[in-house]
Amino acid sequence: MTTQGIGAAVRRKEDRRFLLGKGNYVDDITLSNQSYAVFVRSMYAHAKITKIDTKAAKAAPGVLAVFTGDDVAADGLGTLPCGWLVKSKDGSNMVEPPHPALAQGKVRHVGDPVAMVIATSKAAARAAAGLVDVGYDVLPAIGLVNDAVKPGAPAVHDEAPNNLCYDWHIGDPAAVDAAFAKAAHVVDLDLTNNRLAPNAIEPRAAIGDYDVANDHYTLYTTSQNPHVIRLLMGAFTLHVPEHKLRVVAPDVGGGFGSKIFHYAEELMVTWASRKLGRPVKWTAERSESFLSDAHGRDHVTSAKLALDAGGKILGLRVRTLANLGAYLSTFGSSVPTYLYATLLSGPYDMPAIYAEVKAAFTNTVPVDAYRGAGRPEAAYVLERIMDKAARQIGMDRVEIRRKNLIRVDQFPYQTQVALQYDTGNYQATLDLALEQIDYPNYDKRKAASAAKGKLRGFGISTYIEACGIAPSAIAGALGARAGLYEAATVRVNPTGSVTVFTGTHSHGQGHETTFAQLVAEKLGMPVDNVDAAAVGGSAVVKALDKVIDKGKKIAAHLLEASAGDIEFKDGNYRVVGTDRAKAFGEIAFTAYVPHNYPIETLEPGLEESAYYDPKNFTFPGGCHLVEVEVDPDTGVVDVVDVAIADDVGTIINPMIVDGQAHGGLAQGIGQALYEEVRYDAAGQLTNGSYMDYCMPRAADLPNFKVGNHVTPCTHNPIGVKGVGECGAIGVPPAVINAVIDALTPLGVTDISMPATPEKVWRAIQAARTTTTTKKGG
């Protein structure tokens, strides 16, 4: 019997190599005869390209080649595709302008790549890049999404009238109209979900390597999903059969969604390696990442909530304007639609919902999935308006949520925005979070803060998300251009050790450990006997079941019994009701040594593969509570306590789950208080470095109180739901609700993210001025 299976806090197997500095990242790889690429990028947000003079650059020392958009077009490379088709209200397809790997004719955002310089060293390539003479005819640009849809706004793409990509909707407008007609209370709220830069600790990098002998390409890339990159490159951009293209994603230093997408640099280095006959490597500079990595969020929303006299929700109406940036990124079209509006029921029993989403092009970096991808935006809308509703109708903020949460006996729960939740217990996570933060004694803590001259605030957020975006049938129905599924192979070696191969990439989640724990749980062996070469957990379990079943047939032969009379438990095959047994290791050895083996009916070896296509999304949820102290003289906000209670389904490794929660909470607090990508109205990025883009540090965060209440998922073999994004979803509205709660006595009723000291201070001064004016009047 193992003590290292499901539920055990096993230390991460992969951490040893990372702590010893033995991780293998793309930038660590140096291939024979490798060359180096540097991209020339536009300094303008919108301009016609009038010339690209490369003569001086080509003549520079060490330069091997300089490529422009004309070269890309001449070779017939495809433009970067969007993987999700969205249709407008009228049934028309979204507008999908071409996205060339190198700009052709126009540049459409600061950082748009114009040319690629390749040299024998990075220093030589960088020096030569400065010699590329690009002529521009500057055009009017749009940096802010609200400006994009104004009459007469400059066109980012000629194909997109009014700069709209689509005008989409979901829900029942008539039912919502009826709900508002009978409402005793109507609450409205305008808010913005601030734009974020991903800022993974490892910048993006790529190496293209063409093998002329076999006419075969290899791409080493910092990707969260190399299978998607292989598919998109083979079918849409490089135009080669998949068997001619290998994509390798070694260790990846954080992704947060931004490393899922197919980027121009991946295509260009792979294509260029064939043109030059040698490997080509590119690694982003940190300032370059701000200009080339897909950003996240950037929504402007107007929401209205209808309630009856007792505070029960009757209906919700939401209108959102989403910024897509200059081009459609790989999954950019899906984030403001199917990953956002389908979650607008949240954890609440909401009888009527109608959401309209307009998505607009601007002269900014493309926007796509960032940790949570649409789910944080939905939770922010709901939890901010729930707090405002409580204040407006004079109801306790905890009780208004408790009154509207979906009850346990209502599952499976069909929402009014397409999704069906299989299971959950939102009352339990609410109660657990309140217990952890010691809610009954909050007033004492508030008084203690006041004695120090600080304003204390309490914030709450109850949230839900949809995880495991893999069901091929559902994905197809929602517009995805390719379904996804899990695949795994379990190989039992002759000595009884196990190797697991999965298609899931690990970039900080601890797959090597958790997949080993699944094997340990099923086969009753130590995790050190498992090598997991890491969405694959459920597929691993299905493959293990196949291994166990084949082992029963081998054991039945050895024990001279029927396979139906063999049970497998604690690492042993046993004839039911007897003491006759064979250890798993002996069965594994027999499978590879045909002596005394039923070779007539069973193939030798003990290796099985399985595929898993989920029936539905999984739906983690929970409650996040935050307490802050605000200095009224400076506007500084200190997060002094965070208590969360999540339901992430069956927990394989609680230590890893806690770590994922901590990371998500840090990023969520970062969005709420510190982070924002800022463009001016003309499309210039005004804070594209760490000197200007603020992120939370360890000293900015309290010790987190993390609790879990488990309701297993009903439609996968493990019962897991997912945890990586929960913190980034639940905590931002809780932080802002806490800040507003602290400032309410001063007359402040709203504040936007990020709640920086300057913004908070100005809100306090404005409220005091208003109060003084009223008194004077």
Side-chain angles (χ1 to χ4, degrees):
M1 183 176 181
T2 182
T3 58
Q4 296 182 311
I6 293 175
V10 177
R11 289 188 177 182
R12 295 188 355 153
K13 292 164 63 73
E14 51 268 73
D15 282 352
R16 176 179 174 82
R17 73 173 185 274
F18 294 139
L19 292 171
L20 292 174
K22 301 298 183 182
N24 183 38
Y25 300 90
V26 171
D27 197 51
D28 294 324
I29 298 171
T30 301
L31 303 180
S32 176
N33 204 32
Q34 180 173 283
S35 57
Y36 298 84
V38 168
F39 287 87
V40 178
R41 298 182 184 275
S42 172
M43 67 183 75
Y44 298 107
H46 197 198
K48 290 181 181 179
I49 300 173
T50 58
K51 70 170 183 176
I52 305 178
D53 187 344
T54 62
K55 291 179 183 177
K58 287 179 177 178
V63 172
L64 302 171
V66 180
F67 296 112
T68 68
D70 288 343
D71 300 305
V72 170
D75 259 26
L77 295 184
T79 59
L80 301 174
C82 179
W84 208 298
L85 175 64
V86 172
K87 291 180 178 289
S88 289
K89 295 174 184 176
D90 61 6
S92 61
N93 289 345
M94 67 186 186
V95 178
E96 192 171 357
H99 183 184
L102 294 179
Q104 297 172 16
K106 277 186 179 183
V107 290
R108 290 181 170 85
H109 69 87
V110 174
D112 212 355
V114 174
M116 178 172 68
V117 178
I118 304 172
T120 53
S121 71
K122 190 169 184 178
R126 187 184 294 114
L131 299 177
V132 176
D133 183 13
V134 184
Y136 296 101
D137 183 3
V138 179
L139 300 171
I142 300 167
L144 307 175
V145 70
N146 279 328
D147 292 341
V149 294
K150 290 179 179 178
V156 179
H157 297 277
D158 294 338
E159 303 92 328
N162 305 312
N163 292 312
L164 281 183
C165 177
Y166 53 76
D167 182 359
W168 177 89
H169 67 159
I170 191 171
D172 187 340
V176 170
D177 288 344
F180 276 83
K182 65 180 180 181
H185 304 284
V186 174
V187 182
D188 59 85
L189 181 66
D190 296 325
L191 45 81
T192 297
N193 207 288
N194 44 320
R195 177 185 278 238
L196 303 174
N199 285 314
I201 194 170
E202 175 202 27
R204 286 192 300 113
I207 306 173
D209 184 20
Y210 176 69
D211 177 3
V212 65
N214 296 297
D215 187 28
H216 186 274
Y217 299 85
T218 300
L219 168 66
Y220 301 88
T221 182
T222 48
S223 176
Q224 294 174 239
N225 197 326
H227 304 283
V228 168
I229 304 306
R230 183 172 180 239
L231 169 65
L232 296 179
M233 284 188 69
F236 296 100
T237 58
L238 193 59
H239 296 153
V240 297
E242 280 190 85
H243 73 280
K244 291 288 188 180
L245 174 62
R246 180 182 181 221
V247 177
V248 180
D251 291 325
V252 172
F256 315 127
S258 68
K259 292 178 181 174
I260 296 176
F261 325 125
H262 183 18
Y263 287 98
E265 297 87 358
E266 295 168 323
L267 171 62
M268 290 303 300
V269 297
T270 308
W271 169 74
S273 69
R274 177 169 183 164
K275 302 287 285 186
L276 297 180
R278 61 194 292 174
V280 179
K281 180 178 185 177
W282 167 80
T283 302
E285 302 289 342
R286 183 60 71 181
S287 58
E288 189 177 19
S289 295
F290 276 93
L291 301 176
S292 61
D293 291 3
H295 294 165
R297 315 291 194 251
D298 205 346
H299 286 191
V300 177
T301 295
S302 175
K304 291 190 176 186
L305 188 68
L307 305 101
D308 68 16
K312 190 77 171 69
I313 295 172
L314 299 176
L316 174 70
R317 182 184 291 120
V318 174
R319 292 188 175 94
T320 291
L321 178 61
N323 193 344
L324 295 175
Y327 304 101
L328 277 168
S329 181
T330 308
F331 299 113
S333 60
S334 68
V335 175
T337 52
Y338 295 107
L339 302 184
Y340 161 68
T342 57
L343 273 297
L344 283 173
S345 189
Y348 302 116
D349 180 15
M350 202 170 291
I353 305 172
Y354 180 60
E356 299 172 282
V357 178
K358 292 182 178 180
F361 294 109
T362 61
N363 295 114
T364 64
V365 171
V367 179
D368 208 317
Y370 173 76
R371 197 168 191 166
R375 283 66 59 93
E377 294 92 314
Y380 189 69
V381 171
L382 283 176
E383 294 310 297
R384 287 292 316 280
I385 203 165
M386 287 296 285
D387 250 36
K388 186 173 182 181
R391 287 196 170 89
Q392 184 170 315
I393 69 176
M395 194 171 180
D396 181 81
R397 290 179 293 150
V398 172
E399 293 311 309
I400 195 172
R401 288 172 169 84
R402 193 185 300 279
K403 187 182 188 75
N404 286 284
L405 290 174
I406 299 165
R407 302 187 312 273
V408 173
D409 62 3
Q410 290 179 280
F411 290 101
Y413 181 82
Q414 179 62 54
T415 73
Q416 303 304 307
V417 277
L419 299 182
Q420 185 182 85
Y421 307 157
D422 62 327
T423 186
N425 190 334
Y426 309 134
Q427 301 281 353
T429 51
L430 173 61
D431 290 338
L432 179 57
L434 290 169
E435 178 184 339
Q436 289 189 125
I437 208 164
D438 188 23
Y439 184 60
N441 289 310
Y442 169 71
D443 287 342
K444 295 179 181 177
R445 297 191 294 276
K446 187 177 181 70
S449 297
K452 299 185 297 180
K454 301 292 180 67
L455 303 170
R456 197 177 190 100
F458 171 81
I460 180 172
S461 167
T462 49
Y463 76 95
I464 194 169
E465 77 153 318
C467 250
I469 304 173
S472 58
I474 294 177
L478 298 183
R481 287 172 165 157
L484 303 173
Y485 55 83
E486 299 178 3
T489 296
V490 173
R491 177 183 299 162
V492 182
N493 302 308
T495 57
S497 62
V498 174
T499 302
V500 177
F501 303 93
T502 82
T504 305
H505 191 273
S506 182
H507 34 277
Q509 301 96 321
H511 289 167
E512 293 177 40
T513 304
T514 54
F515 289 174
Q517 288 183 257
L518 292 177
V519 176
E521 178 75 18
K522 296 289 286 188
L523 301 184
M525 62 174 57
V527 294
D528 289 341
N529 287 10
V530 183
D531 181 19
V535 193
S538 293
V540 170
V541 169
K542 291 186 71 176
L544 285 167
D545 288 337
K546 289 184 177 182
V547 166
I548 291 170
D549 287 344
K550 185 173 182 179
K552 287 181 179 180
K553 296 173 183 177
I554 300 171
H557 177 80
L558 297 178
L559 295 168
E560 299 180 343
S562 168
D565 293 332
I566 302 294
E567 66 175 358
F568 181 72
K569 186 177 181 181
D570 297 336
N572 292 287
Y573 289 94
R574 187 180 308 276
V575 179
V576 176
T578 75
D579 60 355
R580 294 162 55 208
K582 294 288 184 180
F584 179 80
E586 186 175 352
I587 298 299
F589 185 78
T590 301
Y592 289 93
V593 181
H595 174 69
N596 194 21
Y597 185 86
I599 199 164
E600 302 84 5
T601 57
L602 281 179
E603 293 182 353
L606 195 52
E607 177 177 319
E608 297 288 348
S609 296
Y611 298 88
Y612 177 68
D613 190 2
K615 297 177 181 178
N616 193 1
F617 300 98
T618 65
F619 297 100
C623 177
H624 290 185
L625 305 178
V626 171
E627 293 185 16
V628 301
E629 283 187 338
V630 179
D631 186 329
D633 296 324
T634 64
V636 171
V637 177
D638 289 323
V639 179
V640 294
D641 203 358
V642 175
I644 70 171
D646 292 328
D647 177 3
V648 299
T650 300
I651 295 174
I652 297 174
N653 187 315
M655 180 179 67
I656 289 176
V657 165
D658 285 355
Q660 287 290 303
H662 288 186
L665 290 169
Q667 284 184 282
I669 292 170
Q671 177 174 14
L673 295 181
Y674 305 103
E675 299 185 48
E676 183 177 32
V677 173
R678 295 193 302 272
Y679 281 94
D680 67 17
Q684 284 293 328
L685 179 63
T686 63
N687 62 334
S689 76
Y690 286 169
M691 291 294 291
D692 305 294
Y693 187 94
C694 185
M695 291 183 291
R697 295 168 172 80
D700 299 320
L701 306 171
N703 290 324
F704 300 131
K705 300 168 182 174
V706 177
N708 290 282
H709 178 88
V710 176
T711 60
C713 174
T714 61
H715 54 77
N716 67 55
I718 317 172
V720 295
K721 294 184 179 179
V723 66
E725 296 169 325
C726 293
I729 295 170
V731 87
V735 171
I736 296 300
N737 285 341
V739 173
I740 294 173
D741 182 54
L743 300 181
T744 295
L746 302 183
V748 176
T749 59
D750 189 27
I751 201 159
S752 61
M753 295 190 294
T756 60
E758 179 186 0
K759 191 181 293 184
V760 172
W761 183 85
R762 289 186 181 278
I764 292 171
Q765 303 313 308
R768 285 174 172 169
T769 300
T770 301
T771 302
T772 301
T773 301
K774 287 181 178 179
K775 287 181 179 179

